[in-house]
């Protein structure tokens, strides 16, 4: 059974979501403030966490920051609908996905299963994937860049893996969303752009100053093939 940590100060909403998740086969533990949520997330008892952005004592973005400093536990953020600043900041800090509130329990379950499915696929044995100075081991979500360990979130790893498998070719945002994030690309969804921006920063620039991941306007992204 998958153990889910639900961190949201809205006790009524938490109870409703927990009941639905348990009907879908999840085991849920709910807490209602960020500090308790961080402690629980780092306890090692959960496979995934759902974290609300707006909470007392410690907000969701700072809670995510503290979790990411010590753990790669998959985290799905709950954000106010249309609240781009918190959503994008959460993705930059390493959230695996987000769901705008108010959300339907069915959508939440679908997003959770997509994240967990990507993790399950990653646990399947796979050969090392190389593209120039980039080395990826999908079986353990491990990466090296120019001989040094490359720290990536789960979402960043899967997106970079998709690009590496087609190095030198343009990959559309729709394909990246489907194959990297496990969901169709939604209208006005900027999560791909945020993840790619973070990966670019981690890879740095090439000797001629170009980014290793190029934007091809109107088409998608391309990982430069050495």
């Amino acid at each position: 059974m998958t153990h889910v940590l639900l961190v949201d100060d809205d006790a009524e909403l938490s109870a409703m979501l927990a009941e639905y998740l348990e009907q879908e086969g999840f085991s849920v533990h709910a807490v209602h403030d960020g500090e308790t949520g961080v402690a629980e997330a780092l306890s090692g008892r959960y496979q995934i966490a759902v974290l609300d952005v707006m909470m007392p004592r410690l907000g969701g973005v700072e809670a995510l920051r503290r979790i990411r400093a010590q753990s790669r536990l998959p985290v799905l953020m709950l954000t106010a609908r249309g609240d781009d600043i918190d959503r994008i900041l959460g993705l930059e800090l390493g959230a695996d996905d987000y769901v705008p509130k108010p959300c339907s329990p069915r959508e939440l379950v679908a997003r959770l299963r997509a994240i967990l499915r990507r993790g399950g696929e990653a646990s399947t044995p796979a050969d090392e994937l190389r593209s120039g100075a980039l080395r990826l081991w999908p079986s353990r979500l491990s990466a090296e860049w120019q001989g040094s360990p490359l720290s990536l979130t789960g979402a960043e790893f899967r997106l970079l893996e998709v690009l590496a498998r087609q190095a030198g070719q343009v990959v559309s945002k729709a394909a990246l969303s489907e194959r990297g994030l496990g969901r169709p690309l939604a209208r006005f969804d900027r999560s791909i752009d945020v993840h790619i921006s973070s990966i670019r920063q981690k890879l740095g620039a090439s000797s001629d100053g170009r980014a290793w991941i190029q934007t091809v306007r109107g088409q998608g992204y391309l990982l430069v093939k050495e």
Side-chain angles (χ1 to χ4, degrees), residues 7-212:
V7 189
D8 194 317
D9 64 311
D10 187 333
E12 184 176 347
L13 175 63
S14 296
M16 184 268 289
L17 292 176
E19 181 179 3
Y20 190 91
L21 288 170
E22 288 170 351
Q23 290 175 357
E24 293 293 318
F26 295 92
S27 172
V28 182
H29 178 62
V31 299
H32 306 299
D33 67 87
E35 290 183 354
T36 305
V38 172
E40 287 292 321
L42 298 177
S43 69
R45 294 194 292 267
Y46 307 95
Q47 282 76 56
I48 193 167
V50 178
L51 186 62
D52 186 29
V53 168
M54 298 298 295
M55 290 184 294
R57 298 175 59 187
L58 185 72
V61 171
E62 179 58 28
L64 175 63
R65 192 191 309 273
R66 296 187 187 184
I67 292 169
R68 278 291 167 263
Q70 302 182 54
S71 171
R72 296 182 67 179
L73 175 75
V75 175
L76 183 149
M77 302 288 286
L78 295 177
T79 72
R81 187 173 296 277
D83 194 350
D84 285 341
I85 295 176
D86 282 336
R87 174 171 60 83
I88 291 172
L89 183 56
L91 290 169
E92 289 176 339
L93 290 172
D96 291 87
D97 203 352
Y98 73 94
V99 173
K101 294 173 69 176
C103 67
S104 72
R106 179 177 297 180
E107 180 182 9
L108 180 61
V109 167
R111 295 293 185 90
L112 289 173
R113 285 180 171 156
I115 295 171
L116 293 165
R117 184 168 59 247
R118 295 198 301 270
E121 290 168 354
S123 65
T124 303
D127 293 334
E128 174 187 329
L129 174 62
R130 281 180 178 251
S131 177
L134 177 67
R135 301 172 70 192
L136 300 174
W137 292 271
S139 61
R140 58 179 189 269
L141 287 181
S142 178
E144 284 186 2
W145 173 243
Q146 298 178 339
S148 299
L150 181 61
S151 178
L152 300 167
T153 67
E156 290 170 358
F157 185 96
R158 304 307 292 184
L159 290 171
L160 186 54
E161 180 187 354
V162 173
L163 290 170
R165 292 189 183 280
Q166 293 184 242
Q169 303 176 45
V170 178
V171 182
S172 70
K173 289 177 65 174
L176 283 168
S177 187
E178 289 277 3
R179 293 159 54 191
L181 301 183
R183 56 182 169 84
L185 181 67
R187 192 179 183 188
F188 306 124
D189 187 349
R190 291 189 57 202
S191 57
I192 296 285
D193 306 303
V194 174
H195 289 309
I196 293 295
S197 176
S198 177
I199 298 170
R200 279 176 173 153
Q201 291 179 14
K202 294 176 180 181
L203 296 179
S206 63
S207 58
D208 60 5
R210 295 187 305 159
W212 288 102

